[in-house]
């Protein structure tokens, strides 16, 4: 869980290379928990996006970053600073609910620009959008997201973690 938070980028790159090498050499999978989407995009095969303790979208890395469908996923990606471009930075309005104070129906409802009457009736369950891509939303987006430029992680040779 957040193993590289607060590390400098060089040390971070070494740790990520070590993770990759260990997974490959030991034939194991790893679950990496992070708020850092640049690391996620660089490291993983599949992504699960959680909001207020629930999985709201799951997909392969490529599908999630190119065709995010849940409004929260799209909000997260739109909030990434783009140092190369001149895109306006968009924050997600409101706040996540406090523990034990989830709203009725969709937990993201009070912050969602696509909120509609049915969203507060019952909690949406994960539904397949395409093979391997599921989303818990009554009105998921269907369009690709404008390309987001994430700063690449510093390159480190995966054969060494010195
Ligand atoms: S279910 Fe409704 S409120 Fe929840 S994310 Fe989807 S559109 Fe928004």
């Amino acid at each position: 869980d957040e193993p590289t938070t607060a590390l400098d980028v060089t040390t971070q790159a070494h740790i990520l290379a070590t993770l990759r090498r260990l997974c490959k050499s030991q034939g194991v999978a790893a679950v990496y928990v992070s708020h850092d989407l640049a690391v996620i995009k660089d490291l993983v095969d599949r992504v699960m996006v959680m909001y207020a303790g629930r999985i709201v979208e799951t997909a392969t890395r490529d599908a999630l970053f190119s065709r995010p469908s849940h409004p929260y996923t799209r909000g997260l990606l739109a909030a990434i600073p783009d140092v190369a471009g001149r895109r306006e930075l968009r924050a997600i309005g409101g706040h996540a609910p406090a523990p034990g104070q989830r709203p009725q129906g969709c937990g993201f409802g009070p912050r969602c620009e696509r909120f509609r009457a049915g969203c507060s009736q019952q909690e949406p369950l994960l539904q397949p959008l395409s093979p391997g891509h599921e989303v818990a939303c009554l009105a998921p987006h269907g369009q690709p997201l404008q390309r987001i430029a994430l700063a690449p992680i510093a390159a480190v040779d995966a054969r060494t973690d010195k």
Side-chain angles (χ1 to χ4, degrees):
D1 188 348
E2 301 279 13
T4 60
T5 299
L7 297 178
D8 63 87
V9 292
T10 305
T11 307
Q12 178 188 62
H14 279 295
I15 288 178
L16 296 178
T18 303
L19 271 175
R20 281 192 204 93
R21 181 175 54 75
L22 285 174
C23 286
K24 196 169 182 179
S25 64
Q26 301 299 311
V28 297
V31 177
Y32 191 94
V33 180
S34 179
H35 70 281
D36 189 335
L37 291 170
V39 169
I40 296 296
K41 190 175 186 190
D42 198 46
L43 182 69
V44 308
D45 298 314
R46 288 195 61 79
V47 186
M48 288 184 181
V49 178
M50 297 188 72
Y51 182 81
R54 303 285 197 277
I55 296 172
V56 296
E57 185 163 8
T58 177
T60 62
R61 173 190 55 191
D62 291 345
L64 191 105
F65 279 88
S66 63
R67 297 185 76 88
S69 296
H70 195 281
Y72 178 58
T73 308
R74 292 176 80 95
L76 286 177
L77 295 176
I80 298 171
D82 179 5
V83 292
R86 291 174 176 261
R87 184 173 56 83
E88 182 182 353
L89 196 60
R90 295 193 57 207
I92 302 174
H95 303 279
Q101 297 189 347
R102 286 178 57 83
Q104 189 166 353
C106 176
F108 189 62
R111 306 177 72 184
C112 184
E113 295 175 351
R114 293 165 78 86
F115 183 87
R116 53 198 64 198
C119 297
S120 59
Q121 302 301 310
Q122 63 181 44
E123 188 173 343
L125 301 176
L126 283 171
Q127 302 286 339
L129 277 182
S130 60
H133 192 167
E134 294 181 293
V135 64
C137 177
L138 297 185
H141 289 270
Q143 299 301 315
L145 193 63
Q146 186 182 356
R147 180 176 286 274
I148 304 287
L150 294 177
I153 305 298
V156 168
D157 189 335
R159 292 167 298 183
T160 175
D161 58 349
K162 292 180 205 159

